[in-house]
Amino acid sequence: MEESFQTEEFTEKIIQVSRVSKKTKGGNKIGFSVLAVVGDGNGRVGVGLGKSPEVQTSIRKAVSYAKKHLITVPMKRKTITHPISIKLGAAKIMLKPAAPGTGVIAGGSVRAVAEAAGIHDILSKVLGTSNKASNVYATLEAFKSLRPLKVREPKQQKTEVLDVEKKAKVKKPEEK
């Protein structure tokens, strides 16, 4: 189940809605847990988990948490800067930059995070668990550990400072 909402500047995607129940003395206590991804499509992305007895309140909590904890993903054109492989808990995620026009080749949860961040060309593989929450957090951790590109300064041509005194060797008359 993946829903997508567009607000002023952020795209919100609901990754997972889980119904959880707890046995209590008075009966069952039912609640909902929502995993949401928020991104501006320009390199900033956040993930939030909201819990509440109602679905709408859970969504609101998850989205507000994700907006408060945004990270910036270093990008090269519309892909990531370098390949990375990460293990977080049971989740193993492999991400590779792709050529322009390739598209997002990724599973559900990794795809949602990459699209929210504004990445258009990426190759990925989820190797560990199929747990959506673990995969989302591992993807976010991989994006955090990406190194930005070093901007190289253009080589400057060497300019020699001409010393006038050395060029024109002026001889002084010798004193007797």
Side-chain angles (χ1 to χ4, degrees):
M1 177 183 174
E2 194 174 300
E3 295 179 34
S4 183
F5 303 102
Q6 185 76 28
T7 57
E8 306 163 2
E9 55 187 86
F10 293 109
T11 303
E12 304 167 3
K13 291 189 179 185
I14 307 301
I15 304 294
Q16 182 179 24
V17 178
S18 302
R19 184 174 155 256
V20 292
S21 62
K22 179 183 177 183
K23 292 278 190 186
T24 59
K25 186 177 168 184
N28 292 344
K29 187 176 181 183
I30 296 174
F32 294 93
S33 174
V34 173
L35 183 68
V37 174
V38 173
D40 66 350
N42 205 11
R44 289 172 52 204
V45 67
V47 175
L49 183 68
K51 299 176 184 180
S52 174
E54 300 170 4
V55 177
Q56 287 300 322
T57 314
S58 299
I59 291 173
R60 198 174 321 115
K61 283 182 180 181
V63 168
S64 69
Y65 185 86
K67 284 182 181 178
K68 289 177 187 173
H69 296 87
L70 292 172
I71 65 160
T72 304
V73 180
M75 296 192 329
K76 177 184 175 184
R77 296 184 193 97
K78 291 292 182 180
T79 187
I80 58 176
T81 54
H82 58 88
I84 188 163
S85 189
I86 198 160
K87 183 178 187 316
L88 182 73
K92 294 177 189 171
I93 305 286
M94 183 185 69
L95 303 171
K96 288 184 178 180
T102 304
V104 178
I105 314 264
S109 50
V110 177
R111 173 183 292 270
V113 177
E115 287 177 348
I119 296 172
H120 294 294
D121 302 309
I122 191 169
L123 303 171
S124 75
K125 182 67 182 164
V126 177
L127 299 167
T129 182
S130 61
N131 184 339
K132 291 180 182 179
S134 293
N135 290 333
V136 166
Y137 286 121
T139 306
L140 199 70
E141 195 62 36
F143 285 160
K144 278 184 194 175
S145 59
L146 284 173
R147 295 183 309 270
L149 281 178
K150 293 181 182 176
V151 179
R152 293 182 181 167
E153 296 178 12
K155 291 184 179 178
Q156 295 178 354
Q157 294 180 354
K158 292 183 181 179
T159 55
E160 293 182 20
V161 179
L162 299 175
D163 196 359
V164 179
E165 293 176 7
K166 287 183 180 178
K167 266 304 200 197
K169 293 182 180 177
V170 180
K171 292 185 178 179
K172 294 181 183 177
E174 293 181 19
E175 294 179 15
K176 292 183 180 178

